[in-house]
Amino acid sequence: QVQLVESGGGLVQPGGSLRLSCAASGSIFRINAMGWYRQPPGKERELVATITSGGSTDYADSVKDRFTISRDNAKNTVYLQMNSLKPEDTAVYYCRTEGVRQLGYLTTRDYWGQGTQVTVSS
């Protein structure tokens, strides 16, 4: 069993910054990719950013140059540094892991975190 726990969400003023963290727990051997998705109120869940185990990153156009994704492979943790936040960034942010291989297992699985609320408002 693998569990993802997000932290760092909250209320911030426009132009402010937040740093989200997501730690994967369990007997994990490898996580191929980690990322962040978000779901604004009344809208579909969308990709924000992803990062592979090798460090390759991908960003949604709406957050590129403002958000930075990073990971600590030794800690199985992914981060999302969010700068210059806008009201339209308000959403529930979900951590996502893909290709998670646990110790002693040959197969891999994908997991979702429980979500953390980010609200950008004055």
Side-chain angles (χ1 to χ4, degrees):
Q1 56 183 9
V2 173
Q3 184 176 359
L4 308 181
V5 179
E6 299 111 326
S7 63
L11 175 65
V12 66
Q13 293 183 327
S17 299
L18 285 174
R19 188 173 191 246
L20 304 183
S21 299
C22 173
S25 63
S27 300
I28 298 171
F29 175 71
R30 179 185 297 171
I31 301 175
N32 183 49
M34 306 183 76
W36 293 92
Y37 291 70
R38 68 185 182 186
Q39 187 167 9
K43 297 183 179 180
E44 297 292 313
R45 190 173 300 185
E46 64 183 15
L47 174 69
V48 177
T50 60
I51 184 168
T52 69
S53 60
S56 298
T57 59
D58 189 35
Y59 297 90
D61 289 341
S62 60
V63 306
K64 192 173 184 179
D65 299 325
R66 297 190 297 120
F67 292 8
T68 301
I69 189 170
S70 61
R71 66 187 286 176
D72 186 333
N73 291 334
K75 297 180 179 180
N76 291 319
T77 300
V78 63
Y79 307 93
L80 185 67
Q81 179 66 48
M82 303 184 293
N83 299 324
S84 302
L85 284 163
K86 305 174 181 179
E88 47 264 46
D89 294 318
T90 296
V92 177
Y93 284 70
Y94 296 91
C95 180
R96 171 73 166 175
T97 59
E98 297 182 357
V100 181
R101 179 172 293 174
Q102 292 184 271
L103 294 175
Y105 292 82
L106 295 177
T107 58
T108 61
R109 295 189 65 182
D110 304 332
Y111 298 90
W112 287 102
Q114 80 286 353
T116 184
Q117 178 70 46
V118 172
T119 302
V120 184
S121 176
S122 60

